[in-house]
Amino acid sequence: MGDLFDPELIANFCQITNASPEVANSYLTVSEGNVEQAITLYLESGGADLTGTHSSHVQDDMPTPNTTESDAEMARRLAEQDTVRAPIASRMDTLIGDSANYEEETFNSVYRSNRRAPPHSIFNQLDSMDARPREAFRDFAAEAATIRGSASSEHTSRLADLFKPPFDIMSNQDFEQTRNTAKSQGKWLMVNIQEVSEFVCQILNRDLWSDKTVQDIIKENFLFLQFSSDSVEGKKYLTFYPIENYPHIAIIDPRTGERMKVWNTLVSPIEFLMNVTEFLDGNTLLPANAPATKKPRNKNIEDLSEEEQLNIALAASMNSASTSSAPKSPEPIEISDSEPESEDNVSTSVIDGIKPVDRPEPPAGGDSTRIQFRLPDGSRVIRRFLKNDPVRHLFEFVKATVPELASEPIELVYLRQQLIDKVDGTLEENGLLNAAVSVSVP
C-alpha cells in the first residue's frame, strides 16, 4: 500500500467519513496527501474500498508521487471500480377495478382523501360538514348532534350550540336544486355566505337566524341556504355573485337568478324583519299578466235574455215541485234593482269609524313590539305597541300622527294583506310583531 501518511491527516479523514484508517490511507495516497481532495473523492466514489480485492490492480494502476494523473482518467478508473446496482424488481398491480360502478363506488373516498378536512371548531361547524360532496336529503339534525357530541367539554358544547348554523331552516339541496324548488313553490331564495374568520358571520348565527320570528317569516316566504365561502357550493356562488365584504345575505329571484336585495352589514332581527317585509310588499313572484279574479255580478231580470229567463223559471218550478207533492203556482222571482254592498264599501265604512287617537307609547320590554310604518310620501315612522293591542290601534296612530290622513280612507298593508279585515284581532294573533306596514291612500 505504500507508506502511511501523517496520523493526524488519517484521523481527520476518518472523523469526517467514518472510514477505517486503511481506507483513509489509500484515498490520501491517491490524492497525494490532500485531505479535502481525498474526502471529496471518497464521497463521489461512494466509499469504494481501494484496499480490498482490487489492491493489486490499484497498485498496478496507482500513480506514483512522481506521476501525474488527469481528472478524466481518475474518474474513469474509479467508475470501473464501482459496482452496478441491481435493477428494480418488477411488480404487478391492478390500475382499475373490475366493477362497472368503480367510479361511483370510489369517488367519495378519493374526494375525502384528497381534500384537507378542516378541524372541528365552534365557528366552522358548517365547514366540517362541507368537507364532502353535498348530498340530497341530508339529516341536519343528526349532523348537529354529532358536532355537539364531539365537543371536548361542556363549555365548548354550549358555545357550539350558541353559534351553530340554522339547520332547522336550511335547505338540504344544493343551489341549483333549491332554486328549482323555490321556483316551483313560488318562494324567494335567500342565501347566506359565511366566512369563518369573520366573527360578524358567527353573530348572524347567534342572534339573527336563531330568532323565532325571523325563522317563521323565512319558512313562509323563502328557501334558505347557508354556505361557507371556501366550500364547493360557496365558491360556485361567489363565481356568479361576487361580494365585497362579509357578512353577506342575498335574496335571489328563482325565475331569473337575479340578486334582488343584499345585506353586507350586521343587522338586528328587528331591522332585518322590517327590511324583509318591505321587500315582500314591493315584490311578487306572480306573473305580471296574471288574470285578476272577478267576482260574479248580479244581473237584473231585464238584462237577461229570453233563454236565461226561461231557464230560471224552469229551475224555480222544479225546486217547487220537489218540495211539495201538491202543485203550486210558481212564486215570483224577486230581483233587487240595487247591487249588494261591496266589500270596498264595507271597508270604507270601517275606516270612517276609526278616529285619530294619540296613546302613550309603551316602554320597551317583553310585552311590546316595534312596528315600522312606511307613509305615502316615502318617510318612515317607528313606534312601539303592546303585543295584545288590537290592529285598530295602528290605524288610530297613523291618523293621529299624519293629520292630513285623518279624513282619508287609508289602507294598511302587511305582506300584501289588508289589515282593515283584521282590526279586531291583536298584533300577536295576526303575526305583526316587528313588522313593516305600508300606508297608502287608494
Side-chain angles (χ1 to χ4, degrees):
M1 176 179 294
D3 298 336
L4 292 176
F5 283 88
D6 186 359
E8 184 177 355
L9 297 177
I10 295 177
N12 293 337
F13 184 94
C14 294
Q15 183 179 5
I16 296 175
T17 62
N18 201 24
S20 63
E22 292 78 7
V23 174
N25 189 74
S26 64
Y27 276 93
L28 287 171
T29 302
V30 172
S31 61
E32 300 180 354
N34 189 324
V35 178
E36 294 181 0
Q37 185 178 355
I39 294 174
T40 301
L41 183 61
Y42 177 85
L43 296 177
E44 290 179 352
S45 64
D49 187 1
L50 305 181
T51 63
T53 56
H54 303 288
S55 58
S56 60
H57 176 72
V58 172
Q59 277 293 341
D60 294 338
D61 297 339
M62 187 75 68
T64 61
N66 297 327
T67 305
T68 59
E69 183 180 21
S70 65
D71 294 340
E73 293 175 349
M74 181 184 296
R76 183 172 56 255
R77 178 175 54 79
L78 293 176
E80 292 175 355
Q81 296 175 358
D82 289 343
T83 57
V84 180
R85 177 179 57 83
I88 300 175
S90 62
R91 55 176 298 186
M92 304 279 294
D93 204 346
T94 303
L95 295 179
I96 300 179
D98 297 332
S99 173
N101 299 325
Y102 174 78
E103 293 184 359
E104 181 179 355
E105 295 171 355
T106 61
F107 174 77
N108 287 342
S109 60
V110 173
Y111 184 91
R112 295 189 184 100
S113 63
N114 290 339
R115 184 175 180 183
R116 179 181 62 86
H120 284 292
S121 169
I122 60 175
F123 295 139
N124 67 346
Q125 301 177 42
L126 195 63
D127 292 347
S128 300
M129 291 175 294
D130 281 347
R132 63 184 184 283
R134 192 172 182 86
E135 304 169 358
F137 309 108
R138 285 171 55 189
D139 189 349
F140 285 106
E143 293 176 357
T146 302
I147 293 175
R148 288 194 297 269
S150 64
S152 59
S153 65
E154 184 179 354
H155 176 69
T156 305
S157 179
R158 287 198 302 269
L159 288 177
D161 287 336
L162 188 63
F163 292 99
K164 71 176 180 179
F167 298 111
D168 47 352
I169 63 173
M170 287 170 54
S171 172
N172 55 10
Q173 299 175 319
D174 60 23
F175 181 86
E176 286 300 327
Q177 293 172 335
T178 306
R179 176 184 168 184
N180 293 333
T181 304
K183 188 189 307 182
S184 62
Q185 295 182 1
K187 293 185 175 182
W188 298 95
L189 179 60
M190 182 176 290
V191 181
N192 172 218
I193 302 297
Q194 292 271 310
E195 170 58 48
V196 67
S197 61
E198 297 288 343
F199 185 66
V200 288
C201 295
Q202 315 307 327
I203 295 178
L204 289 181
N205 286 344
R206 185 190 65 184
D207 298 340
L208 182 61
W209 306 133
S210 61
D211 187 271
K212 183 64 169 61
T213 308
V214 172
Q215 292 184 356
D216 290 342
I217 197 171
I218 289 178
K219 290 179 180 179
E220 183 177 355
N221 301 280
F222 299 88
L223 290 185
F224 182 80
L225 288 171
Q226 186 183 87
F227 297 128
S228 175
S229 60
D230 59 352
S231 65
V232 176
E233 288 295 323
K235 292 178 180 178
K236 187 186 302 183
Y237 176 88
L238 296 177
T239 301
F240 294 101
Y241 303 98
I243 66 177
E244 297 179 357
N245 57 299
Y246 295 96
H248 176 81
I249 308 170
I251 297 178
I252 308 294
D253 188 335
R255 303 165 301 178
T256 62
E258 179 185 359
R259 189 162 54 180
M260 302 291 293
K261 185 173 180 60
V262 176
W263 290 265
N264 54 13
T265 57
L266 190 63
V267 292
S268 65
I270 293 177
E271 183 181 359
F272 180 79
L273 286 170
M274 292 180 177
N275 292 339
V276 169
T277 53
E278 182 178 345
F279 171 83
L280 295 175
D281 286 339
N283 298 273
T284 178
L285 289 173
L286 296 176
N289 56 354
T293 57
K294 297 183 178 179
K295 298 180 181 178
R297 186 174 181 180
N298 296 331
K299 294 183 179 180
N300 294 330
I301 191 65
E302 292 83 1
D303 299 333
L304 300 178
S305 64
E306 293 183 1
E307 183 178 358
E308 291 174 339
Q309 294 179 14
L310 181 60
N311 291 335
I312 292 176
L314 290 175
S317 175
M318 294 177 62
N319 290 337
S320 176
S322 62
T323 56
S324 175
S325 58
K328 293 182 181 180
S329 59
E331 297 181 358
I333 302 174
E334 242 181 67
I335 300 180
S336 175
D337 292 339
S338 60
E339 295 185 1
E341 189 176 8
S342 64
E343 293 182 1
D344 293 340
N345 294 334
V346 174
S347 300
T348 302
S349 63
V350 174
I351 294 175
D352 292 339
I354 299 177
K355 304 302 179 183
V357 179
D358 188 9
R359 294 182 175 85
E361 184 175 9
D367 296 333
S368 64
T369 183
R370 289 173 43 169
I371 304 294
Q372 175 182 263
F373 297 90
R374 186 176 59 186
L375 302 178
D377 60 357
S379 60
R380 287 173 172 79
V381 178
I382 300 177
R383 189 185 187 276
R384 283 190 299 271
F385 293 86
L386 294 177
K387 294 180 179 179
N388 57 1
D389 281 347
V391 178
R392 182 184 300 271
H393 286 188
L394 303 184
F395 288 87
E396 296 173 348
F397 168 76
V398 172
K399 289 191 172 185
T401 304
V402 187
E404 55 268 25
L405 298 179
S407 59
E408 297 288 341
I410 60 173
E411 292 182 351
L412 269 60
V413 181
Y414 174 69
L415 297 181
R416 298 187 176 274
Q417 298 179 359
Q418 292 286 348
L419 298 184
I420 191 62
D421 302 328
K422 305 176 180 181
V423 290
D424 296 327
T426 66
L427 300 181
E428 188 171 13
E429 291 172 352
N430 291 284
L432 293 172
L433 303 183
N434 299 318
V437 178
S438 297
V439 182
S440 61
V441 179

